[in-house]
Amino acid sequence: MPDYPPVTVKGKTAVVIGGTSGIGEAIALSFAEDGADVVATSRTPAAVEATAERIESYGARTIEQPCDLTDRESIEVLCNAVLSEFGRVDVLVNSGAAAARTPFLELEEDDWGHVIDVLLTGVFRSCQIFAREMTDGSIVNLSSMSADLARARLMPYCAAKSGVNALTRCAARELAPDVRVNAIAPGFVMTPLTEEEYGEGTELRAGIDERALAGRVADREEIVGSALYLASDAASYTTGEVLFVDGGFTRNAL
Ligand SMILES: NC(=O)c1ccc[n+]([C@@H]2O[C@H](COP(=O)([O-])OP(=O)(O)OC[C@H]3O[C@@H](n4cnc5c(N)ncnc54)[C@H](OP(=O)(O)O)[C@@H]3O)[C@@H](O)[C@H]2O)c1
């Protein structure tokens, strides 16, 4: 063993909400491969079952417990199920997704409300419910570089992600030193959420490739390392931080 805290989640118990697709699934599978017990969950039972099978294929323990970030009771049921199976929870990753791509002046209150409910209030609910049970833990919230940008037709998404950054900092303060709370702010990552918007050949894709210093969009696996780091003891002195993984998109200026 090295004499510095290692970048590993081996031996930890991790819960990944929104862990059955895209970035969350990549994180959940990497944690399992690295030696953690992992519960990957979302609203869809079939997706939860399929991801659980992949987690078990790495020799990790898991349970199948769907949950909806808009439903406090379902998160409490999830938390209790994890505690009764594993006796503790060390890591929580919030990677649930929602978006309404509508111009501001046409945006309905319901669309605004749904995005805020999943992306911001949902993160509030899960952080609160799981943090009450954590003694020496790490919470990693999926924010976005969009928290700091004026994205076209994405006002509720940008507002929710700004809120996630604020929630992350405030939770880090109140939960210290027992629970560290950090966020990852990805740039443009290819996942089922984004395929239509900036898949190969789209107008947006050309703009991303030009502006991102990396010259391309990211694979979801390129977000995994930041989650592994923040969840691990290697980040024992890192809390209240928002880590940008955006290929330099927000650093590029004329
Ligand atoms: N992809 C990008 O370019 C990008 C960039 C910056 C930030 N992010 C953020 O990264 C996170 C993951 O995005 P992604 O691209 O990986 O999306 P994704 O592939 O669509 O995956 C989203 C996951 O969230 C689950 N989910 C949706 N609504 C939920 C709810 N109410 N309760 C619980 N789970 C729910 C989905 O499963 P069910 O449908 O079964 O519930 C799915 O497992 C999001 O917070 C997103 O805003 C993504």
Side-chain angles (χ1 to χ4, degrees):
M1 279 288 281
D3 58 4
Y4 50 84
V7 186
T8 180
V9 289
K10 189 172 178 171
K12 295 185 188 288
T13 299
V15 174
V16 184
I17 302 181
T20 66
S21 173
I23 295 169
E25 185 188 39
I27 291 170
L29 296 177
S30 76
F31 283 8
E33 187 172 15
D34 192 47
D37 293 326
V38 183
V39 177
T41 181
S42 71
R43 294 165 302 176
T44 315
V48 172
E49 188 185 338
T51 309
E53 280 172 18
R54 297 186 66 191
I55 288 169
E56 281 171 340
S57 75
Y58 290 106
R61 287 197 303 152
T62 189
I63 55 169
E64 293 170 27
Q65 182 65 56
C67 118
D68 184 342
L69 281 163
T70 68
D71 175 2
R72 173 170 277 270
E73 198 184 326
S74 84
I75 306 171
E76 285 167 348
V77 169
L78 168 70
C79 187
N80 289 335
V82 172
L83 291 174
S84 99
E85 181 69 20
F86 300 101
R88 65 177 216 272
V89 56
D90 306 303
V91 177
L92 170 69
V93 178
N94 277 305
S95 191
R101 292 182 179 83
T102 311
F104 169 42
L105 297 180
E106 291 161 29
L107 195 60
E108 304 277 351
E109 288 230 6
D110 282 353
D111 294 333
W112 169 273
H114 177 67
V115 174
I116 298 292
D117 200 16
V118 176
L119 289 184
L120 179 56
T121 316
V123 172
F124 155 71
R125 292 184 186 106
S126 65
C127 285
Q128 189 183 56
I129 290 164
F130 277 91
R132 284 176 176 150
E133 307 301 334
M134 287 174 150
T135 46
D136 178 19
S138 172
I139 296 176
V140 181
N141 295 323
L142 266 297
S143 179
S144 168
M145 68 172 180
S146 300
D148 296 336
L149 297 177
R151 297 277 310 280
R153 299 176 293 114
L154 280 173
M155 180 191 273
Y157 184 83
C158 295
K161 294 302 188 181
S162 292
V164 167
N165 289 356
L167 182 159
T168 297
R169 286 188 286 268
C170 292
R173 178 170 186 181
E174 293 209 32
L175 298 174
D178 301 331
V179 181
R180 296 182 295 102
V181 190
N182 293 288
I184 300 170
F188 294 97
V189 187
M190 286 314 304
T191 70
L193 179 74
T194 58
E195 259 160 23
E196 207 177 298
E197 200 186 359
Y198 47 81
E200 202 74 55
T202 58
E203 197 181 319
L204 186 56
R205 177 64 164 267
I208 297 165
D209 290 351
E210 191 177 313
R211 178 164 165 190
L213 299 182
R216 58 179 177 80
V217 300
D219 291 330
R220 63 185 194 148
E221 284 74 19
E222 293 182 278
I223 310 303
V224 163
S226 56
L228 257 176
Y229 164 66
L230 291 172
S232 77
D233 295 346
S236 55
Y237 206 61
T238 302
T239 193
E241 189 56 72
V242 179
L243 178 54
F244 276 67
V245 187
D246 68 350
F249 189 92
T250 51
R251 290 290 173 258
N252 199 357
L254 289 176

